[in-house]
Amino acid sequence: MSVTGYLHSVKINKANCRGCVACVKTCPTDAIRVRNGKAEIIENRCIDCGECIRNCIYHAAVAETDKVSGLEQYEYNVVLPAPSLYAQFPADVSTEIIWQGLHALGFDEIFDVALASEYISLEIEKIVTDPNNKRKPMISSTCPAVLRLIQVKFPELIPQIVPVLPPAEASAIYIKKQLVSKLNIPEEKIGVWFISPCPSKGTNIRQSVDVLKTEITGSFSVSEVYGKILKNLGKESALEQKVTTASSYGMGWGGYGGEIRSAGLKNAIAVHGIKDVYDVLEQISLNKMPNLDYVECSACEGGCIGGALAAENRFVAETNLKQRIVKMRTSEPATRKETLETTMVCEDFPTSSKYIKKLLPRPMMQLDDDIVEAMKKFEQMEEVLRALPGLDCGACGAPSCQCLAEDIVQGKANEIDCIFKLRSSVRKLAHGMVELSKQIPIAAENDDFDLENELTNSNAGGEEDEG
Amino acid sequence: MSEDKSVKMNFEVIGEDFDRAGEASAKIKRMLQHIGIPAEIIRRIAIGTYEAEINVIIHAGGGEVEAEIFPEYTKVIISDHGPGIPDINLALQEGYSTAPDYVRQMGFGAGMGLPNMVNCSDKFDIQSTVGEGTTITMEFKHNS
Ligand SMILES: Nc1ncnc2c1ncn2[C@@H]1O[C@H](COP(=O)(O)OP(=O)(O)OP(=O)(O)O)[C@@H](O)[C@H]1O
Ligand code: SF4
Ligand SMILES: [Mg+2]
């Protein structure tokens, strides 16, 4: 079984797109082509990592999120802020002030995702350090863009993904249950909203790859909410709820290495940035790290604080988060274990195994469903590729000559989409016409039309303008 | 005849060039993905080929990899004209290695390469003559 009918949140706003191929060139799964002067996303290849959003200077690549007006449809609204939101603010801005800002936006209740992260950390610790666990290294499951990358490019690594809930989902499951009994209102009347640093977490709510049934209603981007909080900052707001907060360990999940620190893992590495993640997955697939326990992978450089929908620059956000953690640490018990004991006081916090499902592969490289057909296409593709210039210039709208060759054998592109091929075809054609013109019978020469001259004059202008 | 259809690719492996180590197995992996071989099988082929490729780089001063994909199975032949292996049974033992120190410092030399190749493949053959070279042939079934 593999996945069909796939949703993604990143979209191209055609009006803004200039067809510059910046996004085509940076997409880690070769999911974008420029056709007829505009970028197009190949749906089933997009992993929602947000690289295109980061790299488009015309702001044509955007992510679909929900509208804050959606709150009106619910009787009671809960918001799930994560460390990536706190990291937008200097450490001096207390979490209480941020919560008040959220309250002023119309949320009735707040649940701190960082707290759920601490419960998930302990689950990770247990699975990864189990002496019977033979799947090494285990790979973190919290970044949905990484999960999707594994689905499309490294499906063989699916068994190595650590089977735990995304903290935001765990938060939603927990808080919804609590509220149903506390407020005595039906589940459908409770809206639970996540503030997302990236398109991939938004997509994973709308169509989850790893959660059986999402309890999150929708998501807003960090950058949108950040602006709204800033406006309300310092205004008195009547938030009466005493929010249970996480320790510095849960808070750390916003940046790279935070998961490892929170799970107390010693034999683990943190890899961040989609290219490095790709690289490490390749090494794991080759079984080159069989003695390592855990690899924390985030698609974004810096971890979630570097998400494509964050407001603040990622280094500023990293500084904010680090300083916030140092500050929190000063009033915490000495050890991790003692610290977590003080914060993890929720009763019946959900455990992952009941709520997650196994990831399905989503292979995308296959040239044909029929293996012999695929072989033929592969040979054609290699032949086409040998005839292309190998410059990977992107002028054809594909990220590389390799990809253009693939598009050509799939009938989605043409050899003369390559401007070098086009140029030499035009040249050949022109020469052919010149040769032909020389054979035109004398009688016709009276037409005062000089073909050779005509061609050389028009050649310089026309062709180059297009690319 | 579709049963006999196959695609073949050849790659040169350059001796002591660690920068390019793994290039042949990466290209073979890509080719198998395009043809639509199951991911778990591709992984075994890539691991087996990678180990053999590395051995050629370290122990044999270079050689050649040939991969041929049939609908039912993939065959990988790794050959070199290096020093050859005097005692093949000994070399096949887990933990046996003659790797020099500089190679061990790079994380190789655990003596696990040949045993891994045997484990990854469905059919394994090694021919080696001292002074002439070594040829390893591995076959991997596509539905195992
Ligand atoms: N192509 C080859 N030519 C000559 N000798 C070889 C070749 N391949 C393997 N050997 C010999 O066989 C030994 C065992 O090989 P094997 O791949 O199992 O271990 P290794 O290469 O020493 O270490 P590892 O593969 O674990 O990094 C090598 O140390 C080397 O002496
Ligand atoms: S690292 Fe975090 S912010 Fe970036 S894509 Fe993954 S989950 Fe989203
Ligand atoms: Mg070896």
Side-chain angles (χ1 to χ4, degrees):
Chain A
M1 225 191 343
S2 58
V3 185
T4 48
Y6 176 66
L7 260 179
H8 63 100
S9 302
V10 177
K11 299 279 138 91
I12 305 290
N13 177 350
K14 300 240 161 160
N16 287 0
C17 176
R18 306 250 189 122
C20 72
V21 302
C23 58
V24 172
K25 282 293 205 181
T26 51
C27 175
T29 57
D30 297 330
I32 314 179
R33 300 287 183 276
V34 169
R35 294 206 170 109
N36 303 318
K38 302 284 175 188
E40 283 175 12
I41 298 178
I42 305 169
E43 304 266 322
N44 66 348
R45 289 192 173 190
C46 175
I47 59 168
D48 272 326
C49 65
E51 280 301 298
C52 50
I53 297 180
R54 260 189 278 267
N55 287 290
C56 177
I57 55 167
Y58 304 109
H59 305 290
V62 292
E64 282 182 341
T65 48
D66 292 291
K67 298 267 162 301
V68 181
S69 59
L71 296 190
E72 289 161 16
Q73 291 166 25
Y74 298 86
E75 236 168 67
Y76 197 82
N77 286 294
V78 187
V79 64
L80 309 175
S84 50
L85 177 70
Y86 303 140
Q88 307 301 306
F89 300 90
D92 293 339
V93 179
S94 69
T95 43
E96 286 77 11
I97 291 179
I98 298 169
W99 294 330
Q100 284 188 2
L102 288 169
H103 184 250
L105 267 172
F107 295 104
D108 303 296
E109 175 136 357
I110 286 140
F111 188 88
D112 193 8
V113 175
L115 185 57
S117 301
E118 298 185 344
Y119 287 87
I120 302 297
S121 304
L122 294 195
E123 285 196 51
I124 295 174
E125 181 186 16
K126 198 159 160 241
I127 296 168
V128 170
T129 57
D130 178 352
N132 294 320
N133 178 37
K134 295 277 178 299
R135 294 165 292 169
K136 284 193 174 195
M138 292 234 93
I139 302 165
S140 63
S141 60
T142 37
C143 172
V146 171
L147 295 184
R148 285 164 144 82
L149 180 66
I150 291 175
Q151 281 184 302
V152 300
K153 289 272 187 174
F154 302 94
E156 69 275 18
L157 296 180
I158 288 175
Q160 278 167 261
I161 297 170
V162 68
V164 294
L165 273 172
E169 283 291 346
S171 309
I173 295 167
Y174 173 77
I175 192 72
K176 238 185 189 171
K177 250 201 203 135
Q178 296 281 312
L179 290 176
V180 167
S181 61
K182 191 177 100 186
L183 304 172
N184 203 15
I185 53 170
E187 242 187 79
E188 311 81 67
K189 296 275 169 69
I190 305 171
V192 182
W193 307 90
F194 179 60
I195 302 178
S196 180
C198 63
S200 82
K201 283 194 196 272
T203 309
N204 211 38
I205 291 165
R206 297 197 283 151
Q207 186 193 50
S208 184
V209 291
D210 58 341
V211 181
L212 279 173
K213 178 181 165 287
T214 181
E215 296 296 341
I216 302 176
T217 313
S219 67
F220 313 114
S221 71
V222 163
S223 56
E224 185 189 348
V225 174
Y226 170 76
K228 295 201 159 90
I229 296 176
L230 265 194
K231 251 194 266 166
N232 292 324
L233 217 56
K235 279 188 201 154
E236 279 299 316
S237 146
L239 176 70
E240 281 160 17
Q241 182 203 351
K242 170 94 183 58
V243 184
T244 324
T245 52
S247 71
S248 68
Y249 289 92
M251 184 62 79
W253 272 57
Y256 66 91
E259 227 178 288
I260 291 175
R261 173 174 171 262
S262 179
L265 301 174
K266 300 282 173 292
N267 184 23
I269 59 168
V271 181
H272 51 115
I274 193 78
K275 289 204 173 62
D276 283 353
V277 167
Y278 200 106
D279 207 22
V280 81
L281 293 178
E282 214 149 41
Q283 302 307 307
I284 297 172
S285 181
L286 277 174
N287 207 15
K288 286 177 73 180
M289 311 151 104
N291 302 319
L292 182 68
D293 285 342
Y294 194 67
V295 181
E296 178 197 300
C297 291
S298 337
C300 300
E301 281 174 27
C304 291
I305 50 167
L309 304 182
E312 194 46 279
N313 168 281
R314 88 116 153 134
F315 298 108
V316 177
E318 188 172 335
T319 308
N320 290 345
L321 188 69
K322 282 240 161 89
Q323 291 177 349
R324 194 176 288 274
I325 288 171
V326 168
K327 213 168 167 185
M328 290 170 86
R329 203 68 198 105
T330 55
S331 58
E332 286 175 354
T335 68
R336 164 178 162 270
K337 200 161 163 279
E338 290 165 321
T339 308
L340 293 181
E341 272 164 12
T342 62
T343 54
M344 295 172 59
V345 292
C346 304
E347 270 173 41
D348 296 328
F349 199 84
T351 42
S352 298
S353 54
K354 264 173 71 184
Y355 301 96
I356 56 171
K357 62 182 181 191
K358 193 169 176 267
L359 223 66
L360 293 176
R362 194 153 64 83
M364 55 166 223
M365 300 270 290
Q366 205 168 339
L367 294 169
D368 201 287
D369 286 340
D370 178 76
I371 194 165
V372 175
E373 251 344 276
M375 285 177 167
K376 287 182 190 155
K377 283 188 182 168
F378 182 81
E379 280 173 333
Q380 286 166 17
M381 188 175 82
E382 290 297 301
E383 202 181 309
V384 172
L385 181 60
R386 272 193 293 274
L388 292 174
L391 295 172
D392 293 344
C393 68
C396 59
S400 62
C401 299
Q402 170 75 51
C403 288
L404 181 65
E406 191 182 330
D407 291 350
I408 291 171
V409 297
Q410 296 293 38
K412 291 175 187 149
N414 204 302
E415 206 162 58
I416 53 169
D417 286 340
C418 169
I419 60 160
F420 299 94
K421 283 277 168 187
L422 178 70
R423 199 186 266 178
S424 73
S425 302
V426 168
R427 193 176 296 128
K428 264 189 215 140
L429 214 65
H431 280 300
M433 286 171 83
V434 170
E435 287 310 311
L436 264 178
S437 75
K438 289 178 184 156
Q439 293 170 31
I440 296 175
I442 305 292
E445 287 243 319
N446 291 339
D447 303 350
D448 43 334
F449 178 76
D450 183 350
L451 180 60
E452 195 158 356
N453 201 14
E454 201 73 15
L455 276 172
T456 23
N457 285 343
S458 62
N459 202 9
E463 143 195 1
E464 241 98 343
D465 283 354
E466 296 227 346
Chain B
M1 291 268 299
S2 65
E3 288 80 50
D4 297 327
K5 173 79 189 156
S6 73
V7 268
K8 203 193 272 187
M9 277 187 117
N10 294 288
F11 308 92
E12 193 192 347
V13 180
I14 298 170
E16 271 138 66
D17 184 353
F18 287 93
D19 278 350
R20 291 215 255 167
E23 261 185 22
S25 34
K27 283 186 182 143
I28 292 169
K29 182 177 174 183
R30 212 202 83 227
M31 165 173 162
L32 292 158
Q33 285 173 330
H34 277 304
I35 290 168
I37 307 305
E40 197 33 58
I41 313 278
I42 296 182
R43 185 183 194 181
R44 290 201 280 114
I45 299 173
I47 293 174
T49 310
Y50 178 79
E51 289 290 0
E53 199 183 339
I54 293 289
N55 275 358
V56 168
I57 294 172
I58 298 175
H59 305 296
E64 196 189 329
V65 178
E66 177 185 296
E68 189 167 11
I69 305 175
F70 297 88
E72 308 289 326
Y73 69 101
T74 292
K75 186 187 203 170
V76 183
I77 303 171
I78 301 96
S79 53
D80 65 65
H81 297 289
I85 303 172
D87 186 341
I88 293 178
N89 285 330
L90 187 62
L92 282 169
Q93 277 175 23
E94 283 189 14
Y96 176 80
S97 173
T98 57
D101 278 350
Y102 86 98
V103 169
R104 285 179 190 250
Q105 273 160 20
M106 294 169 82
F108 302 103
M112 287 306 293
L114 285 167
N116 273 340
M117 287 180 237
V118 176
N119 288 337
C120 282
S121 56
D122 295 305
K123 238 185 188 180
F124 176 88
D125 177 70
I126 178 165
Q127 303 291 333
S128 191
T129 309
V130 172
E132 283 179 24
T134 304
T135 298
I136 287 172
T137 308
M138 288 181 280
E139 282 183 23
F140 306 84
K141 284 192 220 138
H142 292 165
N143 49 0
S144 52

